[in-house]
């Protein structure tokens, strides 16, 4: 039945939707994209002055797109599960005609003349961009807070005195708080999964090359991955289906078929082999009690679901993986920002300036040693991952620390098991596993074989259903 | 020579030689600290045993 949809924003205001639920409602014409967008804009107006999840809200652009979506859907032209769904992006994705800051004073007046491929894809499917979300400068940071960036710090929706994880700082907390139904971030050493872990959302770093990075500010070309942060595992699969695929604009884009990532959602895991990694070397910190307890509960959930769990050992320590990513990142990042470092470094925040100075002192042979080691580690890690259908390991070793504790902020960021999968390129999802005694989310990481994101989602969904309390939302 | 130690003068000379003649003493101090860490981490990357082990970013012709 075609025709106008009744618009009554009060019906949806205050509701926090999943993409899957909202999509069903939109398709059935029980809610309209205009209602959804107005509800999210209202939510942003109420909570974002405290949360700082957005750098730029594109209210009028979103309203115009919502009216178009409503018109199309009313005319029987529903485009699929993302039609009419409001989302946000880290402010390192370009949108033509809109400011891209990268969280940097270097770019405060930069109006983009191109749109990121993944945003073009989402908008072609009818998704509605609400705005650009907070980020560390050019995705750079160790966790230490210097208060020297141009926008106020994003704050954790579960406790505003706590860290959001970085560098996609606004995206994780925005999805948790309901200022975006889903968001896109980018991940060089953990910058999707760390905010996801800190704020209890699902953060997917897909296989390197599966999702286009064209039209996004680079941080480190050979490690950068773009991807979704969502409230649920199913939502992540829906969004990944919408953005994955070969892009000739991205030189590292993989020419592989895009799978149906939702196909395993809700399917049995009986008979699957899931590896478990516990040992990250002598320099890795111990897991916080709640993180460890909930990781054990995740293992139990997988066993109860019929999976066989086996112990796995990675080919190197966490420290060895991190050294490789650090050296590659220092070198590539300085190459990206060299002119700005030489001429305008006074505009950079300390974290970015430190990274530039690190690249400045880096020897070419050390950089090449790191990339040679990267290839070997990727092959060796893949040999381990391939012995199972999926792998379970920690994501962060603690819950989100308070802003006041600089040492813990750095430990949360630098001693996470995330960079391993940037080195190897495997898909890795941060999935919520519950909460600690203070009400802060805990997380685990599910890793898959190259381009087998469907199995990652299948396994993560079992953990989510058993542990992650998706009905529990931050109170703001 | 201890590879992980950079004096302020060494760093100032290195920076100037590579185009950073205007760096302040505070910047030079910080750069020296970071350079020591970079040198240390760089030295910790194992060297590949064979000369034909290629870097991960070896060039491929566009397909």
């Amino acid at each position: 039945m075609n025709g106008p949809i009744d618009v009554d924003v009060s019906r949806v205001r205050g509701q926090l939707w999943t993409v899957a639920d909202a999509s069903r409602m939109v398709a059935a014409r029980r809610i309209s994209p205009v209602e959804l967008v107005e509800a999210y804009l209202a939510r942003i107006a109420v909570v974002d002055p405290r949360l700082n999840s957005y750098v730029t809200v594109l209210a009028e652009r979103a309203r115009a797109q919502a009216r178009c979506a409503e018109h199309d859907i009313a005319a029987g032209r529903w485009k699929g599960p993302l039609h009419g769904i409001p989302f946000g992006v880290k402010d390192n994705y370009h949108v033509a005609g809109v400011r891209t800051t990268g969280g940097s004073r270097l770019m405060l007046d930069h109006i983009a003349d191109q749109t990121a491929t993944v945003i073009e894809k989402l908008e072609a499917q009818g998704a509605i961009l609400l705005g650009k979300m907070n980020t560390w400068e050019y995705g750079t940071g160790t966790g230490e807070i210097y208060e020297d960036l141009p926008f106020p710090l994003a704050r954790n929706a579960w406790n505003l005195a706590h860290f959001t994880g970085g560098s996609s700082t606004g995206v994780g907390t925005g999805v948790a708080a309901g200022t975006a139904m889903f968001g896109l971030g980018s991940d060089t050493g953990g910058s999707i999964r760390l905010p996801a872990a800190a704020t209890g959302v699902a953060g997917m770093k897909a296989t390197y090359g599966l999702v286009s990075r064209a039209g996004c500010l680079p941080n480190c070309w050979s490690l950068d991955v773009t991807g979704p942060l969502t409230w649920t595992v199913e939502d992540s699969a829906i969004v990944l289906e919408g953005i994955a695929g070969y892009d000739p604009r991205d030189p590292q884009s993989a020419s592989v078929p895009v799978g149906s990532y939702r196909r395993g959602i809700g399917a049995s895991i009986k008979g699957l082999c899931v590896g478990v990694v516990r040992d990250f070397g002598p320099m890795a910190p111990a897991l916080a009690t709640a993180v460890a307890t909930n990781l054990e509960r995740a293992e139990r959930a997988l066993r109860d679901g019929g999976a066989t769990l086996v112990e796995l050992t990675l080919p190197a320590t966490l420290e060895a993986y991190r050294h490789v990513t650090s050296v590659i990142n220092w070198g590539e990042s300085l190459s990206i920002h060299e002119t700005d470092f030489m001429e305008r470094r006074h505009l950079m925040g300390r974290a970015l300036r430190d990274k530039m100075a690190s690249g400045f002192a880096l020897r070419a042979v050390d950089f090449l040693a790191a990339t040679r080691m990267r290839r070997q580690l990727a092959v060796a890690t893949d040999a381990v991952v391939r012995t199972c259908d999926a792998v379970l390991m920690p994501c962060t070793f603690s819950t989100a620390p308070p802003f006041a504790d600089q040492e813990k902020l750095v430990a949360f960021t630098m001693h996470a098991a995330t960079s391993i999968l940037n080195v190897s390129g495997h898909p890795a999802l941060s999935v919520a596993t519950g909460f600690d005694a203070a009400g802060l989310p805990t997380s685990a990481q599910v890793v898959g074989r190259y381009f087998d994101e469907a199995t990652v989602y299948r396994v993560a969904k079992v953990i989510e259903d058993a542990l992650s309390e998706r009905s529990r939302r931050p109170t703001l | 020579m201890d590879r992980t130690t950079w004096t302020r003068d060494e760093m100032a000379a290195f920076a100037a030689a590579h185009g950073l003649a205007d760096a302040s003493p505070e910047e030079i101090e910080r750069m020296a600290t970071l350079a020591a860490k970079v040198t240390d981490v760089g030295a910790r990357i194992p060297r590949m045993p064979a000369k034909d082990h290629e870097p991960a970013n070896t060039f491929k012709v566009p397909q």
Side-chain angles (χ1 to χ4, degrees):
Chain A
M1 185 180 76
N2 298 344
I5 303 169
D6 289 338
V7 174
D8 177 3
V9 173
S10 64
R11 287 193 302 134
V12 294
R13 185 168 285 169
Q15 297 225 31
L16 299 177
W17 304 85
T18 65
V19 173
D21 287 344
S23 175
R24 278 188 284 271
M25 300 274 279
V26 168
R29 302 177 65 239
R30 291 171 59 197
I31 53 173
S32 87
V34 171
E35 287 175 307
L36 277 180
V37 164
E38 290 299 340
Y40 274 81
L41 291 174
R43 177 88 175 154
I44 291 167
V46 170
V47 306
D48 220 47
R50 286 170 286 152
L51 199 67
N52 303 322
S53 65
Y54 282 87
V55 167
T56 304
V57 177
L58 301 168
E60 290 316 308
R61 189 179 186 278
R63 286 186 172 114
Q65 289 186 331
R67 287 192 294 273
C68 281
E70 183 176 286
H71 181 265
D72 284 347
I73 292 164
R77 295 190 295 271
W78 183 67
K79 295 178 179 175
L82 293 169
H83 202 170
I85 302 299
F87 72 104
V89 295
K90 183 177 180 176
D91 195 19
N92 60 354
Y93 286 70
H94 289 307
V95 177
V98 173
R99 183 177 72 158
T100 309
T101 71
S104 176
R105 286 193 171 79
L106 294 166
M107 295 193 64
L108 285 180
D109 301 319
H110 177 83
I111 304 297
D113 60 3
Q114 60 168 318
T115 299
T117 295
V118 292
I119 294 178
E120 286 179 345
K121 282 187 170 191
L122 289 172
E123 292 193 332
Q125 294 165 71
I128 297 167
L129 180 64
L130 291 171
K132 315 291 287 297
M133 305 185 88
N134 217 336
T135 172
W136 287 345
E137 185 173 22
Y138 272 96
T140 294
T142 60
E144 200 157 354
I145 304 292
Y146 301 115
E147 309 255 19
D148 59 0
L149 297 181
F151 303 105
L153 275 175
R155 296 183 173 275
N156 195 314
W158 297 95
N159 184 330
L160 296 173
H162 282 245
F163 191 40
T164 57
S167 64
S168 308
T169 57
V171 188
T173 199
V175 171
T179 61
M181 202 178 289
F182 73 88
L184 298 181
S186 59
D187 190 316
T188 305
S191 288
I192 288 173
R193 290 160 290 158
L194 297 174
T199 60
V201 307
M204 172 55 105
K205 183 206 78 70
T207 307
Y208 182 77
L210 181 67
V211 184
S212 171
R213 305 156 314 160
C216 297
L217 297 176
N219 179 7
C220 173
W221 303 292
S222 66
L223 297 169
D224 289 343
V225 173
T226 55
L229 291 94
T230 56
W231 183 243
T232 67
V233 169
E234 182 180 17
D235 284 1
S236 185
I238 292 169
V239 177
L240 188 65
E241 278 185 25
I243 62 176
Y246 176 69
D247 179 11
R249 291 173 63 199
D250 179 349
Q252 301 305 321
S253 185
S255 184
V256 294
V258 174
S260 169
Y261 304 117
R262 292 172 83 183
R263 71 175 184 270
I265 299 283
S268 167
I269 58 165
K270 193 171 166 57
L272 289 188
C273 172
V274 178
V276 179
V277 178
R278 301 179 200 283
D279 183 7
F280 296 90
M283 301 300 284
L287 291 179
T289 304
V291 174
T293 301
N294 289 343
L295 198 57
E296 285 167 16
R297 292 173 66 211
E299 289 177 34
R300 234 178 358 256
L302 296 178
R303 260 193 222 100
D304 292 347
T308 302
L309 270 59
V310 299
E311 302 283 328
L312 291 182
T313 303
L314 293 172
T317 63
L318 177 56
E319 193 184 27
Y321 286 98
R322 206 175 55 245
H323 285 159
V324 167
T325 54
S326 293
V327 169
I328 293 174
N329 200 346
W330 291 332
E332 290 193 20
S333 282
L334 178 60
S335 177
I336 291 165
H337 301 292
E338 183 186 13
T339 303
D340 283 330
F341 180 62
M342 302 304 281
E343 297 174 2
R344 303 197 296 163
R345 63 189 176 280
H346 63 283
L347 294 177
M348 293 177 172
R350 179 168 166 179
L352 183 62
R353 205 166 51 238
D354 276 359
K355 188 164 74 169
M356 298 300 98
S358 300
F360 196 78
L362 182 65
R363 299 190 316 155
V365 289
D366 289 340
F367 178 82
L368 284 165
T371 69
R372 294 173 83 189
M373 181 50 59
R374 194 248 178 118
R375 186 190 289 278
Q376 173 168 300
L377 279 178
V379 170
T381 306
D382 189 47
V384 172
V385 170
R386 275 184 188 285
T387 61
C388 294
D389 296 294
V391 179
L392 178 70
M393 64 175 78
C395 184
T396 58
F397 287 61
S398 73
T399 54
F403 283 116
D405 193 332
Q406 294 276 10
E407 197 176 315
K408 285 187 179 169
L409 295 175
V410 174
F412 179 91
T413 306
M414 302 305 286
H415 296 293
T418 49
S419 61
I420 296 164
L421 295 317
N422 295 89
V423 169
S424 72
H426 289 91
L429 178 83
S430 174
V431 60
T433 55
F435 297 87
D436 69 5
L440 291 162
T442 59
S443 65
Q445 195 170 208
V446 180
V447 177
R449 298 178 180 181
Y450 291 131
F451 301 108
D452 190 12
E453 281 75 6
T455 301
V456 172
Y457 286 132
R458 183 177 171 188
V459 170
K461 173 68 173 160
V462 172
I463 296 170
E464 179 180 86
D465 285 348
L467 304 178
S468 69
E469 302 181 46
R470 291 298 80 183
S471 59
R472 182 170 167 183
R473 286 279 201 165
T475 308
L476 283 161
Chain B
M1 184 180 113
D2 179 357
R3 288 189 66 206
T4 63
T5 301
W6 288 66
T7 67
R8 236 177 301 178
D9 287 346
E10 285 169 343
M11 178 48 69
F14 179 81
H18 292 86
L20 274 185
D22 64 338
S24 67
E26 293 75 23
E27 280 184 281
I28 292 296
E29 180 82 39
R30 182 68 181 154
M31 288 176 75
T33 303
L34 291 166
K37 179 183 163 198
V38 169
T39 306
D40 178 51
V41 172
R44 286 172 189 264
I45 305 286
R47 268 41 186 173
M48 298 300 288
K51 289 188 175 181
D52 60 358
H53 285 155
E54 293 194 1
N57 58 345
T58 304
F59 177 71
K60 279 186 193 169
V61 295
Q63 311 256 321

